[in-house]
Amino acid sequence: MSNPTPHIGTVHLVGAGPGDPDLLTLRAARLLTQARLVVHDGLVEPAILAMAHPQARLVSVAKRRAHHTMPQEDICALLVREALAGNDVVRLKGGDPLVFGRGGEEAEACRAAGVPVEIVPGISAANAAGAAAQIPLTHRDHASVVSFVAGQCKGLSEQDWSGLAGVGRTLVIYMGVKTAPQIAEKLMADGLAPDMAVAVIENAARPEMRVLRGPLAALPALIDDNKVKSPALIVIGEVTRERDVALAAIAVEARI
Ligand code: SAH
């Protein structure tokens, strides 16, 4: 008699959104409350982890060995090992798993090992920041193109950003706090006006959110003087001025 086929668990790559539990999808919330194993990274808020099943094993892959994240191969190996052992895994990631979240690599590793994968979208930081700061990423009069770019150091100087920002376009930069001086320089060297409007949104959609505004030339000072920390997004484009309209309306409402 042949052995029964061993049960293989499913890896659910789940977007946790920007941090507010109210901004989880219903599917994400349901999976979380049912999960027996949750593998999460550092951007996931404790309030969201608290929604996990009381008996769930919570595994953080964020901070190991003096603040180093677990290497990506080890995370993939962990997901595959658990699924092959028959465990369903909720792999919880900040924002959307497929926007600068390395969800693609984790899905590939699972598929290569014969592990079924489900991907549950989450509200990405750009969407959350736009809504929370009342800055529309596109606007009939001001922007019909929006680009998402990673601003971390690696390879920044070799990348071609020409055409990503300017009149009629919105550029959203993830992971750009540390490299803001190089980013501003790069964009101005490409011909972007030094007075192009910029917004920095720190901790979007969380109670401690800050929205800072200024011209592109002052971006590094804006970040430095205000001691902006990650997680923060940089939004470049005319649409950021729409926040003035929103704030003026709020001021009028407050006076009424
Ligand atoms: N997958 C995530 C992005 C991960 S990259 C998503 O879809 O949102 C990490 C970067 O996302 C941070 O450096 C920051 O630029 C941005 N970010 C994530 N959460 C944020 C938040 N609440 N407010 C502002 N920026 C945020």
Side-chain angles (χ1 to χ4, degrees):
M1 222 171 64
S2 62
N3 287 331
T5 322
H7 170 72
I8 297 181
T10 296
V11 171
H12 305 271
L13 291 175
V14 178
D20 179 348
D22 274 0
L23 294 178
L24 283 171
T25 62
L26 289 176
R27 174 110 191 108
R30 195 174 303 135
L31 283 166
L32 202 51
T33 51
Q34 291 167 355
R36 290 296 188 272
L37 173 59
V38 178
V39 177
H40 64 92
D41 57 30
L43 274 178
V44 178
E45 286 285 288
I48 290 179
L49 294 176
M51 294 169 65
H53 190 279
Q55 272 142 37
R57 241 187 321 144
L58 300 182
V59 178
S60 167
V61 293
K63 292 210 173 132
R64 294 280 163 108
R65 285 174 279 129
H67 306 292
H68 286 304
T69 46
M70 189 190 269
Q72 189 61 46
E73 318 80 86
D74 293 0
I75 298 174
C76 292
L78 169 71
L79 301 178
V80 166
R81 192 168 62 240
E82 290 289 348
L84 291 180
N87 300 319
D88 288 332
V89 186
V90 169
R91 170 67 175 114
L92 202 55
K93 288 170 165 291
D96 182 87
L98 302 183
V99 177
F100 304 127
R102 305 192 75 167
E105 288 162 60
E106 294 177 15
E108 270 168 41
C110 291
R111 286 186 211 111
V115 170
V117 178
E118 180 199 14
I119 301 178
V120 181
I123 295 180
S124 193
N127 300 98
Q134 304 213 0
I135 294 173
L137 300 183
T138 66
H139 188 291
R140 251 168 83 92
D141 300 328
H142 308 301
S144 56
V145 175
V146 54
S147 308
F148 296 170
V149 170
Q152 78 269 60
C153 309
K154 215 172 127 200
L156 190 63
S157 53
E158 292 96 67
Q159 289 170 25
D160 180 9
W161 285 23
S162 52
L164 288 183
V167 174
R169 280 159 285 170
T170 304
L171 176 60
V172 182
I173 302 165
Y174 287 68
M175 299 173 279
V177 170
K178 289 215 177 77
T179 46
Q182 293 96 298
I183 288 171
E185 205 175 297
K186 190 179 175 76
L187 289 169
M188 287 188 287
D190 276 345
L192 203 59
D195 64 352
M196 173 53 86
V198 167
V200 177
I201 303 141
E202 181 188 60
N203 283 310
R206 298 177 181 178
E208 63 274 31
M209 177 173 86
R210 288 196 295 169
V211 183
L212 307 165
R213 309 257 315 285
L216 175 60
L219 175 64
L222 196 64
I223 288 180
D224 233 39
D225 296 350
N226 293 289
K227 300 189 171 42
V228 173
K229 298 218 170 50
S230 183
L233 280 185
I234 301 167
V235 181
I236 298 176
E238 291 299 326
V239 290
T240 57
R241 297 189 200 279
E242 288 296 305
R243 181 161 166 83
D244 294 333
V245 182
L247 290 180
I250 292 166
V252 169
E253 276 165 28
R255 277 200 298 274
I256 292 171

Short mmCIF file of all heavy atoms in Angstrom, two decimals, residues 17-19 41 43 93-102 122-129 173-177 201-206 209 229-234, ligand 1:
data_model
loop_
_atom_site.label_atom_id
_atom_site.label_comp_id
_atom_site.label_asym_id
_atom_site.label_seq_id
_atom_site.Cartn_x
_atom_site.Cartn_y
_atom_site.Cartn_z
N GLY A 17 -1.23 46.56 5.08
CA GLY A 17 -1.54 47.99 4.97
C GLY A 17 -0.55 48.83 5.75
O GLY A 17 0.50 48.35 6.19
N PRO A 18 -0.89 50.11 5.97
CA PRO A 18 0.07 51.05 6.55
C PRO A 18 0.21 50.99 8.07
O PRO A 18 1.05 51.67 8.64
CB PRO A 18 -0.50 52.41 6.14
CG PRO A 18 -1.96 52.18 6.05
CD PRO A 18 -2.15 50.78 5.56
N GLY A 19 -0.61 50.23 8.74
CA GLY A 19 -0.45 50.11 10.20
C GLY A 19 -1.74 50.19 10.98
O GLY A 19 -1.86 49.62 12.05
N ASP A 41 7.16 40.95 9.22
CA ASP A 41 8.35 41.79 9.22
C ASP A 41 8.13 43.00 10.13
O ASP A 41 7.11 43.11 10.81
CB ASP A 41 8.80 42.16 7.81
CG ASP A 41 7.72 42.86 7.01
OD1 ASP A 41 6.88 43.56 7.59
OD2 ASP A 41 7.74 42.70 5.78
N LEU A 43 7.57 46.20 9.77
CA LEU A 43 6.62 47.30 9.56
C LEU A 43 5.22 46.99 10.06
O LEU A 43 4.34 47.83 9.99
CB LEU A 43 6.55 47.65 8.07
CG LEU A 43 7.58 48.64 7.52
CD1 LEU A 43 7.39 48.83 6.02
CD2 LEU A 43 7.49 49.98 8.23
N LYS A 93 3.03 41.23 5.59
CA LYS A 93 3.99 42.25 5.17
C LYS A 93 3.35 43.63 5.24
O LYS A 93 2.15 43.77 4.95
CB LYS A 93 4.40 42.01 3.72
CG LYS A 93 5.28 40.79 3.54
CD LYS A 93 5.42 40.48 2.08
CE LYS A 93 6.56 39.52 1.86
NZ LYS A 93 7.87 40.13 2.13
N GLY A 94 4.14 44.65 5.53
CA GLY A 94 3.61 46.02 5.55
C GLY A 94 3.12 46.43 4.17
O GLY A 94 3.69 46.02 3.16
N GLY A 95 2.05 47.22 4.14
CA GLY A 95 1.55 47.74 2.85
C GLY A 95 1.04 46.63 1.97
O GLY A 95 0.25 45.78 2.40
N ASP A 96 1.47 46.63 0.72
CA ASP A 96 1.10 45.58 -0.24
C ASP A 96 2.31 44.65 -0.41
O ASP A 96 3.44 45.13 -0.52
CB ASP A 96 0.74 46.23 -1.58
CG ASP A 96 0.30 45.17 -2.58
OD1 ASP A 96 -0.89 44.82 -2.59
OD2 ASP A 96 1.17 44.65 -3.32
N PRO A 97 2.07 43.33 -0.46
CA PRO A 97 3.21 42.41 -0.54
C PRO A 97 4.02 42.53 -1.83
O PRO A 97 5.18 42.14 -1.88
CB PRO A 97 2.59 41.01 -0.44
CG PRO A 97 1.13 41.18 -0.31
CD PRO A 97 0.78 42.63 -0.38
N LEU A 98 3.38 43.07 -2.88
CA LEU A 98 4.06 43.11 -4.17
C LEU A 98 4.60 44.49 -4.53
O LEU A 98 5.06 44.71 -5.64
CB LEU A 98 3.12 42.61 -5.28
CG LEU A 98 2.58 41.19 -5.08
CD1 LEU A 98 1.72 40.77 -6.27
CD2 LEU A 98 3.72 40.19 -4.88
N VAL A 99 4.51 45.43 -3.58
CA VAL A 99 5.10 46.75 -3.83
C VAL A 99 6.31 46.90 -2.90
O VAL A 99 6.15 47.05 -1.69
CB VAL A 99 4.09 47.89 -3.58
CG1 VAL A 99 4.75 49.26 -3.77
CG2 VAL A 99 2.89 47.76 -4.51
N PHE A 100 7.49 46.81 -3.44
CA PHE A 100 8.74 46.88 -2.68
C PHE A 100 8.71 46.00 -1.44
O PHE A 100 9.20 46.38 -0.39
CB PHE A 100 9.07 48.34 -2.30
CG PHE A 100 9.12 49.26 -3.48
CD1 PHE A 100 8.38 50.42 -3.52
CD2 PHE A 100 9.91 48.95 -4.57
CE1 PHE A 100 8.42 51.27 -4.62
CE2 PHE A 100 9.96 49.79 -5.69
CZ PHE A 100 9.22 50.95 -5.70
N GLY A 101 8.09 44.84 -1.57
CA GLY A 101 7.94 43.98 -0.40
C GLY A 101 8.61 42.63 -0.57
O GLY A 101 8.52 41.78 0.31
N ARG A 102 9.25 42.39 -1.68
CA ARG A 102 9.92 41.13 -2.00
C ARG A 102 8.96 39.94 -1.98
O ARG A 102 9.38 38.79 -1.84
CB ARG A 102 11.13 40.92 -1.06
CG ARG A 102 12.07 42.12 -1.13
CD ARG A 102 13.39 41.88 -0.47
NE ARG A 102 14.27 41.03 -1.27
CZ ARG A 102 15.56 40.87 -1.02
NH1 ARG A 102 16.13 41.50 -0.01
NH2 ARG A 102 16.29 40.08 -1.77
N GLY A 122 -2.66 44.53 -0.10
CA GLY A 122 -2.83 45.45 1.03
C GLY A 122 -2.76 46.87 0.52
O GLY A 122 -2.38 47.11 -0.62
N ILE A 123 -3.14 47.81 1.37
CA ILE A 123 -3.06 49.23 0.97
C ILE A 123 -1.60 49.65 1.07
O ILE A 123 -1.01 49.62 2.15
CB ILE A 123 -3.96 50.10 1.89
CG1 ILE A 123 -5.42 49.70 1.67
CG2 ILE A 123 -3.73 51.58 1.60
CD1 ILE A 123 -6.41 50.48 2.49
N SER A 124 -1.05 50.01 -0.06
CA SER A 124 0.36 50.40 -0.09
C SER A 124 0.53 51.79 0.51
O SER A 124 -0.41 52.60 0.55
CB SER A 124 0.85 50.37 -1.53
OG SER A 124 2.26 50.45 -1.55
N ALA A 125 1.77 52.07 0.96
CA ALA A 125 2.03 53.35 1.65
C ALA A 125 1.61 54.54 0.79
O ALA A 125 1.10 55.53 1.32
CB ALA A 125 3.51 53.43 2.01
N ALA A 126 1.81 54.47 -0.52
CA ALA A 126 1.47 55.60 -1.38
C ALA A 126 -0.03 55.90 -1.31
O ALA A 126 -0.44 57.05 -1.20
CB ALA A 126 1.88 55.31 -2.83
N ASN A 127 -0.84 54.86 -1.36
CA ASN A 127 -2.29 55.05 -1.30
C ASN A 127 -2.71 55.56 0.08
O ASN A 127 -3.55 56.44 0.20
CB ASN A 127 -3.01 53.74 -1.62
CG ASN A 127 -2.65 53.24 -3.00
OD1 ASN A 127 -1.78 52.38 -3.13
ND2 ASN A 127 -3.25 53.80 -4.01
N ALA A 128 -2.09 54.96 1.10
CA ALA A 128 -2.43 55.36 2.47
C ALA A 128 -2.04 56.81 2.71
O ALA A 128 -2.81 57.59 3.29
CB ALA A 128 -1.71 54.45 3.46
N ALA A 129 -0.85 57.19 2.24
CA ALA A 129 -0.35 58.55 2.48
C ALA A 129 -1.20 59.55 1.71
O ALA A 129 -1.54 60.62 2.24
CB ALA A 129 1.11 58.65 2.06
N ILE A 173 8.25 58.38 -3.79
CA ILE A 173 9.51 57.69 -3.49
C ILE A 173 9.40 56.97 -2.15
O ILE A 173 9.15 57.59 -1.11
CB ILE A 173 10.68 58.70 -3.48
CG1 ILE A 173 10.75 59.40 -4.83
CG2 ILE A 173 12.00 57.98 -3.18
CD1 ILE A 173 11.59 60.65 -4.83
N TYR A 174 9.58 55.66 -2.20
CA TYR A 174 9.62 54.83 -1.00
C TYR A 174 11.10 54.76 -0.56
O TYR A 174 12.00 54.77 -1.41
CB TYR A 174 9.15 53.40 -1.30
CG TYR A 174 7.66 53.22 -1.54
CD1 TYR A 174 7.04 53.74 -2.66
CD2 TYR A 174 6.89 52.45 -0.67
CE1 TYR A 174 5.68 53.53 -2.90
CE2 TYR A 174 5.53 52.23 -0.90
CZ TYR A 174 4.94 52.78 -2.01
OH TYR A 174 3.60 52.57 -2.24
N MET A 175 11.33 54.58 0.72
CA MET A 175 12.68 54.35 1.25
C MET A 175 13.66 55.43 0.81
O MET A 175 14.81 55.12 0.46
CB MET A 175 13.19 52.96 0.80
CG MET A 175 12.35 51.81 1.29
SD MET A 175 12.82 50.22 0.58
CE MET A 175 12.00 50.28 -1.00
N GLY A 176 13.22 56.69 0.83
CA GLY A 176 14.09 57.75 0.31
C GLY A 176 14.56 58.75 1.36
O GLY A 176 15.19 59.74 1.01
N VAL A 177 14.28 58.48 2.65
CA VAL A 177 14.63 59.48 3.67
C VAL A 177 16.14 59.73 3.71
O VAL A 177 16.60 60.87 3.70
CB VAL A 177 14.11 59.03 5.06
CG1 VAL A 177 14.66 59.90 6.17
CG2 VAL A 177 12.59 59.06 5.08
N ILE A 201 5.72 62.55 3.91
CA ILE A 201 4.66 62.04 4.80
C ILE A 201 5.26 60.92 5.65
O ILE A 201 5.60 59.86 5.14
CB ILE A 201 3.45 61.54 3.98
CG1 ILE A 201 2.94 62.69 3.11
CG2 ILE A 201 2.34 61.04 4.90
CD1 ILE A 201 2.50 62.28 1.75
N GLU A 202 5.38 61.22 6.93
CA GLU A 202 5.98 60.27 7.87
C GLU A 202 4.84 59.56 8.61
O GLU A 202 3.88 60.22 9.02
CB GLU A 202 6.86 61.05 8.85
CG GLU A 202 7.58 60.22 9.88
CD GLU A 202 8.27 61.11 10.92
OE1 GLU A 202 7.56 61.88 11.60
OE2 GLU A 202 9.49 61.03 11.05
N ASN A 203 4.97 58.25 8.79
CA ASN A 203 3.96 57.48 9.53
C ASN A 203 2.54 57.71 9.01
O ASN A 203 1.60 57.95 9.79
CB ASN A 203 4.01 57.83 11.03
CG ASN A 203 5.17 57.15 11.70
OD1 ASN A 203 5.36 55.94 11.55
ND2 ASN A 203 5.97 57.91 12.41
N ALA A 204 2.40 57.63 7.70
CA ALA A 204 1.09 57.83 7.08
C ALA A 204 0.04 56.92 7.70
O ALA A 204 0.32 55.74 7.98
CB ALA A 204 1.18 57.54 5.59
N ALA A 205 -1.15 57.46 7.91
CA ALA A 205 -2.30 56.70 8.41
C ALA A 205 -2.10 56.14 9.81
O ALA A 205 -2.75 55.19 10.22
CB ALA A 205 -2.67 55.57 7.44
N ARG A 206 -1.14 56.71 10.54
CA ARG A 206 -0.97 56.35 11.95
C ARG A 206 -1.21 57.62 12.79
O ARG A 206 -1.07 58.72 12.26
CB ARG A 206 0.46 55.85 12.21
CG ARG A 206 0.76 54.60 11.42
CD ARG A 206 2.18 54.18 11.63
NE ARG A 206 2.48 52.99 10.84
CZ ARG A 206 3.66 52.42 10.81
NH1 ARG A 206 4.66 52.92 11.50
NH2 ARG A 206 3.85 51.34 10.09
N MET A 209 1.22 60.61 12.48
CA MET A 209 1.56 61.09 11.13
C MET A 209 2.01 62.55 11.13
O MET A 209 1.45 63.38 11.84
CB MET A 209 0.34 60.95 10.21
CG MET A 209 0.61 61.49 8.82
SD MET A 209 -0.73 61.16 7.64
CE MET A 209 -1.80 62.56 7.95
N LYS A 229 11.97 60.42 10.22
CA LYS A 229 12.48 59.04 10.33
C LYS A 229 11.63 58.11 9.47
O LYS A 229 10.47 58.40 9.18
CB LYS A 229 12.40 58.56 11.78
CG LYS A 229 13.25 59.39 12.70
CD LYS A 229 13.92 58.53 13.76
CE LYS A 229 14.96 59.32 14.53
NZ LYS A 229 14.46 60.61 15.05
N SER A 230 12.18 56.96 9.15
CA SER A 230 11.44 55.92 8.43
C SER A 230 10.36 55.38 9.38
O SER A 230 10.61 55.30 10.59
CB SER A 230 12.42 54.83 8.04
OG SER A 230 11.77 53.85 7.30
N PRO A 231 9.18 55.00 8.91
CA PRO A 231 8.76 55.00 7.51
C PRO A 231 8.21 56.36 7.06
O PRO A 231 7.39 56.95 7.74
CB PRO A 231 7.65 53.94 7.48
CG PRO A 231 7.02 54.01 8.84
CD PRO A 231 8.13 54.39 9.78
N ALA A 232 8.72 56.81 5.93
CA ALA A 232 8.22 58.06 5.36
C ALA A 232 8.29 57.96 3.85
O ALA A 232 9.13 57.26 3.29
CB ALA A 232 9.05 59.23 5.86
N LEU A 233 7.38 58.68 3.21
CA LEU A 233 7.33 58.73 1.74
C LEU A 233 7.61 60.15 1.29
O LEU A 233 7.23 61.10 1.98
CB LEU A 233 5.92 58.42 1.25
CG LEU A 233 5.40 57.02 1.15
CD1 LEU A 233 4.02 57.08 0.51
CD2 LEU A 233 6.30 56.12 0.33
N ILE A 234 8.21 60.28 0.13
CA ILE A 234 8.39 61.59 -0.48
C ILE A 234 7.49 61.64 -1.71
O ILE A 234 7.53 60.72 -2.54
CB ILE A 234 9.87 61.80 -0.90
CG1 ILE A 234 10.79 61.68 0.32
CG2 ILE A 234 10.05 63.15 -1.59
CD1 ILE A 234 12.26 61.56 -0.02
N1 SAH B 1 5.26 46.94 0.83
C1 SAH B 1 5.25 48.26 1.44
C2 SAH B 1 6.53 49.02 1.18
C3 SAH B 1 7.74 48.42 1.85
S1 SAH B 1 9.18 49.38 1.58
C4 SAH B 1 4.03 49.04 0.92
O1 SAH B 1 3.38 48.60 -0.04
O2 SAH B 1 3.72 50.09 1.48
C5 SAH B 1 9.23 50.33 3.06
C6 SAH B 1 8.94 51.79 2.76
O3 SAH B 1 7.54 51.99 2.60
C7 SAH B 1 9.34 52.75 3.85
O4 SAH B 1 10.72 53.06 3.80
C8 SAH B 1 8.49 53.95 3.53
O5 SAH B 1 9.03 54.69 2.46
C9 SAH B 1 7.20 53.29 3.03
N2 SAH B 1 6.20 53.18 4.11
C10 SAH B 1 5.68 52.06 4.62
N3 SAH B 1 4.72 52.33 5.55
C11 SAH B 1 4.64 53.68 5.61
C12 SAH B 1 3.84 54.59 6.35
N4 SAH B 1 2.93 54.19 7.26
N5 SAH B 1 4.04 55.92 6.14
C13 SAH B 1 4.91 56.37 5.23
N6 SAH B 1 5.69 55.55 4.50
C14 SAH B 1 5.56 54.24 4.68
#
